[in-house]
Amino acid sequence: MVMRTRPTFLLPRITISRLLIIALVLISACVLVLLGGSFHAPGDLAARAGRVKREKRYPDYQVRSDKPGKHGENGAAVHLTGDEFNRSEILFKKEAFNIIASDMISLQRSLPDVRVKECRNIQYDWDLPTASIVIIFHNEAWSPLLRTVWSVINRSPPELLKEIILLDDYSDREELHEKLDKYVAENFDRNVVRIVRCKERQGLISARVRGAEAATGDVLIFLDSHCEANVGWLEPIVSHIKYNPKTMVCPMIDHIGDRTLGYGGTGDSSTGGFWWSLHFKWIEMQESDVKRRKSHTDPYRIEPLLQRIKDKPKHMLCPIVDAIMDKTLAYSLNGGVALGGFTWSLHFTWEDVLEHPELAKSLTDPLPSVVSPFL
């Protein structure tokens, strides 16, 4: 019979000194884990401090404001009466909006989340490009300008917001100089919000070029100096650009009343456009675009004219021109069945496209610039 014996394990003798060494090693490892990533070059410390501050602010921006007020919270309208109303009407001629109501609203007021359910459920990639937000202003009023900045700070993921550049296009409004410099220095990290000033008036486009030259982020985003960014505004913009760097993206623009500062969503069935006077207006989405979109989260196509230029940048294009009657000024749709041209006397005339079916396969196809039997 073979007798089996149990194996024996030799354990080292545990002493007090060994226990102390093990404890010190464990404590050191914990400290290294907690401080991991804190060993940065001196120049990075300020940026890191700003990011930690923004991460602390970001999760609760929807439910509170650092300086909550009783006016305009959750995007509510402000209705003035008496002397305040009369003053606001006088100042409206200068500011083009109700400055009295704006000054009564917190610079960090809360807004309702007006996104559709599909938008709220989208999960974006973790490695999206960073954005430089360029805000051009010229004699902008104090409260709408800073409310724009705070809304971007509070409602942008810190890892995506590279910086906010306030580009002053030679303002002569007193409060936009030393007072603004002091406010920005005291309330924002200098690596996040900075002011760039023009030494002479540039105009909107040249000022945007100046802002682009000063930007350091992966993506450039230009905002008006009197808007409010809402929750989830930035992620879809940089996400589309990540997958197609040549894309020019315009976000959904909600409505803020010029007289009450009330905030409201515009839905997803309209897009921005301009009257002949170049004033902004809302345009209903074309039926073809409505059918093309599979969900409310699908982007709109750019305007047909811009699409043609994108496809054939060397072409000179003219949009369909609708008719305004010379005697009654009544407006009527061209409908895409007539092409503008000139008679031999150089007077403008309409040429019926339906008489030349060979020119286009469908009403959405572009037409040649000249209707001629030699085409």
Side-chain angles (χ1 to χ4, degrees):
M1 178 180 291
V2 178
M3 299 294 294
R4 295 185 179 181
T5 59
R6 295 181 179 179
T8 58
F9 298 94
L10 298 178
L11 297 176
R13 181 178 295 178
I14 299 177
T15 63
I16 297 297
S17 60
R18 289 180 176 176
L19 286 175
L20 289 175
I21 293 174
I22 294 173
L24 288 174
V25 170
L26 291 175
I27 292 174
S28 299
C30 292
V31 171
L32 287 174
V33 170
L34 292 175
L35 296 181
S38 296
F39 300 99
H40 294 269
D44 293 337
L45 294 179
R48 180 175 174 79
R51 174 166 178 167
V52 171
K53 182 178 179 181
R54 283 181 286 150
E55 286 175 342
K56 183 178 180 181
R57 294 183 51 79
Y58 179 66
D60 56 356
Y61 69 83
Q62 294 183 65
V63 295
R64 74 155 175 85
S65 184
D66 277 2
K67 297 179 181 178
K70 62 180 180 179
H71 301 290
E73 288 302 318
N74 202 37
V78 177
H79 300 281
L80 304 179
T81 58
D83 291 340
E84 288 182 333
F85 174 79
N86 294 332
R87 287 175 54 212
S88 70
E89 287 297 300
I90 294 174
L91 293 174
F92 192 95
K93 298 177 182 179
K94 174 186 176 183
E95 306 289 351
F97 74 102
N98 192 337
I99 183 64
I100 302 298
S102 178
D103 290 345
M104 296 169 65
I105 298 173
S106 167
L107 298 180
Q108 302 184 58
R109 74 160 168 178
S110 55
L111 294 176
D113 187 349
V114 297
R115 295 175 299 168
V116 296
K117 183 178 180 181
E118 293 92 332
C119 290
R120 302 183 191 188
N121 293 336
I122 294 178
Q123 298 294 322
Y124 294 99
D125 295 344
W126 63 271
D127 58 344
L128 295 176
T130 61
S132 291
I133 315 300
V134 180
I135 301 173
I136 311 295
F137 67 95
H138 173 74
N139 288 340
E140 183 65 77
W142 179 266
S143 57
L145 174 61
L146 289 176
R147 193 175 297 114
T148 300
V149 177
W150 276 114
S151 70
V152 173
I153 287 285
N154 287 342
R155 300 186 178 98
S156 301
E159 64 275 11
L160 301 183
L161 181 60
K162 178 70 174 181
E163 61 193 349
I164 299 175
I165 297 175
L166 294 176
L167 198 137
D168 177 15
D169 190 12
Y170 204 59
S171 298
D172 54 17
R173 200 164 183 158
E174 184 177 354
E175 61 189 12
L176 298 179
H177 292 274
E178 184 177 349
K179 181 181 177 180
L180 181 61
D181 290 338
K182 182 179 179 181
Y183 184 93
V184 169
E186 292 177 350
N187 290 274
F188 306 115
D189 187 278
R190 62 185 177 87
N191 293 293
V192 179
V193 181
R194 54 194 175 100
I195 302 174
V196 177
R197 298 189 185 274
C198 298
K199 296 182 179 180
E200 60 182 14
R201 187 69 192 276
Q202 298 293 313
L204 178 60
I205 303 304
S206 295
R208 286 183 172 181
V209 173
R210 178 79 182 275
E213 292 172 347
T216 60
D218 302 320
V219 172
L220 277 173
I221 298 180
F222 297 98
L223 290 183
D224 287 342
S225 55
H226 42 261
C227 65
E228 296 179 57
N230 206 340
V231 53
W233 78 280
L234 182 56
E235 297 93 316
I237 294 178
V238 294
S239 179
H240 283 296
I241 294 176
K242 173 190 173 182
Y243 289 103
N244 185 0
K246 296 182 179 180
T247 297
M248 296 182 63
V249 183
C250 179
M252 203 48 142
I253 302 175
D254 294 329
H255 178 72
I256 299 177
D258 54 359
R259 295 189 179 275
T260 66
L261 278 294
Y263 175 91
T266 56
D268 66 338
S269 60
S270 59
T271 184
F274 296 90
W275 296 97
W276 287 106
S277 62
L278 296 183
H279 286 84
F280 184 84
K281 74 167 184 175
W282 294 107
I283 303 174
E284 286 295 320
M285 191 191 308
Q286 296 183 5
E287 185 178 354
S288 58
D289 275 340
V290 174
K291 294 179 179 179
R292 183 189 60 82
R293 298 175 75 214
K294 297 179 181 179
S295 73
H296 293 290
T297 63
D298 288 347
Y300 299 163
R301 294 186 302 176
I302 62 176
E303 287 296 315
L305 189 64
L306 298 178
Q307 183 66 54
R308 302 293 184 191
I309 296 175
K310 177 183 176 183
D311 295 339
K312 298 181 179 181
K314 294 183 179 181
H315 282 211
M316 297 180 62
L317 303 176
C318 178
I320 290 293
V321 180
D322 295 331
I324 300 177
M325 306 306 295
D326 54 355
K327 294 184 180 296
T328 64
L329 297 186
Y331 178 91
S332 63
L333 295 176
N334 182 321
V337 297
L339 182 67
F342 296 89
T343 62
W344 289 108
S345 61
L346 296 184
H347 287 83
F348 185 83
T349 185
W350 293 106
E351 181 72 23
D352 193 347
V353 176
L354 296 182
E355 295 181 0
H356 304 274
E358 72 281 358
L359 295 181
K361 297 179 181 179
S362 70
L363 293 180
T364 61
D365 289 340
L367 298 169
S369 59
V370 179
V371 178
S372 167
F374 301 103
L375 290 175

